[in-house]
């Protein structure tokens, strides 16, 4: 359908009739460019492909542990580790999808619940989210059952399906079952997102899970973020939950990109969650090459990627600890840049620009999330750079910083602390601070921006009331430097 529409559009644009209708002038040029992507969505993080090259062994191990669920047993708990972009989430999602399909196919009740602990990050919220999920599943299950029973009731011969009709035992028992289920439906109460005692939320979850026999797989992605934010209390509850369940069974899969997070766990929780461990090693450049090749075939139009594009994306991403997400971002961004420049092919030059753009976006994001004092120091450096001061030293930054703080009624940090914060900005790749010797006056740091000045300025000024307009600083600047 889309292809058909698209062909018609291109035809219309490349052969405009003498009197084209007065529409779409702004988009005509853009639409007449041959698209580079076949389906860009296939390169997005949220898309989980059906095939994950170089993850066979991890996927096999996961499946061999989870198959227990299809036999009605409880699969061991698993902790999954690996650096960012090594395919942990994608692999677990792929196996979960297959598990649910197999469960439907063989009619063995097994349900998977995926929680991203970076978003759902407190004990209360995790328990509430789980409870509400299973209450909803129970409601759907009961409604379906009622509907089936009502169909059976309607299929009974007339006079046999009325509850008041003593002739039909079958009709009576169907009526009884339906009214029991309706009663159950009324008893399901969802947990509010705040306000209940956590014990009550926990017992509501246990009741919801135990409503019927099933194996439940709970996946806690970014589990380290949960422990960092809220401790291991909820993990303690979840890992012991099977002792409170009669009909159902729970199995937990934790995913983390921090190998050391279990150091912060209660030893009982640690041994229970880590019954099995699966490690996802970083990809090397050749593996990333295969991954990209695989996904690019369907994501791009045929023949638009010139030689070396995929290899360069893989090489850049391999330098960043073998991160497939970075490799995909590079390829997608290179495609977008090519598309925007009106080209019909993606070249290695586009990949180089994509690398720069992604790096810049990262730095801008870092600036956005800096604490206020660091922003103020960066702002001070920016003012000095804009005034073309040739050798910016820590002392100069500190003096101007102090004045800017006073001007803005903001707390003034010590010289020592400001020096530390400048080093942090250096480590984050926002400024470049090299130590220079000043002869008998000792050593100081010479500071410059490592990111384009306009980007820093735009980010700082657009997002923080502290800075006002740069013009405001010229008065202070004049009194300070006498220029
Ligand atoms: N073997 C692979 N084949 C195809 N795509 C992959 C593969 N491994 C990872 N990807 C893709 O790379 C991106 C990052 O993978 P994923 O989200 O699974 O990483 P992760 O290990 O969970 O990282 P993080 O720790 O940052 O959450 C996703 O878009 C995913 O689809
Ligand atoms: Mg992940």
């Amino acid at each position: 359908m889309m292809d058909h529409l698209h062909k018609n559009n291109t035809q219309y644009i490349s052969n405009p009739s003498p009197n084209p209708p007065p529409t779409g002038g702004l988009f005509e040029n853009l639409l007449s460019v041959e698209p580079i992507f076949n389906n860009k969505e296939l390169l997005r993080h949220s898309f989980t492909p059906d095939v994950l090259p170089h993850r066979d062994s991890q996927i096999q191990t996961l499946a061999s542990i989870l198959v227990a669920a299809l036999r009605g047993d409880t699969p061991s708990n698993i902790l999954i580790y690996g650096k960012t972009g090594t395919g942990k989430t994608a692999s677990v999602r792929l196996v979960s999808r297959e598990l649910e399909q197999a469960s439907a196919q063989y009619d063995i009740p097994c349900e998977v619940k995926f929680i991203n602990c970076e978003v759902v990050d407190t004990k209360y919220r995790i328990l509430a989210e789980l409870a509400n999920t299973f209450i909803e599943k129970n409601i759907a299950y009961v409604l379906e059952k009622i509907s089936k029973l009502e169909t059976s009731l309607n299929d009974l011969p007339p006079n046999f399906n009325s509850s008041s009709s003593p002739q039909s035992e079958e009709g009576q028992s169907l009526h009884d079952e339906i009214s029991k289920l309706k009663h159950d439906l009324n008893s399901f109460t969802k947990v509010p997102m705040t306000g209940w005692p956590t014990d009550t939320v926990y017992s509501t979850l246990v009741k919801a899970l135990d409503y019927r026999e099933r194996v439940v797989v709970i996946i806690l992605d970014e589990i380290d973020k949960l422990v960092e934010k809220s401790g291991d209390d909820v993990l303690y509850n979840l890992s012991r939950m099977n002792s409170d369940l009669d009909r159902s069974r729970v199995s937990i899969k934790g995913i983390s990109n921090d190998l050391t997070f279990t150091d912060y766990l209660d030893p009982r929780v640690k041994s229970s969650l880590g019954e099995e461990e699966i490690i996802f090693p970083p990809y090397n450049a050749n593996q990333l090459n295969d991954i990209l090749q695989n996904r690019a075939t369907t994501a791009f139009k045929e023949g638009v990627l010139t030689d070396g594009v995929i290899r360069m994306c893989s090489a850049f991403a391999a330098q960043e600890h073998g991160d497939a997400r970075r490799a995909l971002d590079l390829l997608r961004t290179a495609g977008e840049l090519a598309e925007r420049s009106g080209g019909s092919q993606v070249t290695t030059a586009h990949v180089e620009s994509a690398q720069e753009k992604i790096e810049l976006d990262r730095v801008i994001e870092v600036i956005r999330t800096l604490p206020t004092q660091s922003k103020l120091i960066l702002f001070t450096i920016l003012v000095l750079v804009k005034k073309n001061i040739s050798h910016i030293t820590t002392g100069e930054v500190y003096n101007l910083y102090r004045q800017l703080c006073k001007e803005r009624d903001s707390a003034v940090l010590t010289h020592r602390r400001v020096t530390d914060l400048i080093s942090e900005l250096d480590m984050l790749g926002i400024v470049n601070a090299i130590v220079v010797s000043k002869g008998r006056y000792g050593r100081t740091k010479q500071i410059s921006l490592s990111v384009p000045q306009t980007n820093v300025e735009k980010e700082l000024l657009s997002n923080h009331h502290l800075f006002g307009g740069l013009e405001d600083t010229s008065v202070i600047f004049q009194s300070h430097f006498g220029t």
Side-chain angles (χ1 to χ4, degrees), residues 88-89 221-222 255 325:
K88 302 181 296 296
T89 303
D221 199 1
E222 319 265 349
I255 306 178
R325 185 181 291 116

Side-chain angles (χ1 to χ4, degrees), residues 58-83:
Q58 287 79 6
I59 289 174
Q60 274 306 324
T61 312
L62 257 172
S64 67
I65 297 169
L66 282 168
V67 74
L70 298 174
R71 300 195 175 111
D73 296 331
T74 320
S76 307
N77 293 335
I78 315 177
L79 279 181
I80 293 164
Y81 298 105
K83 286 198 175 161

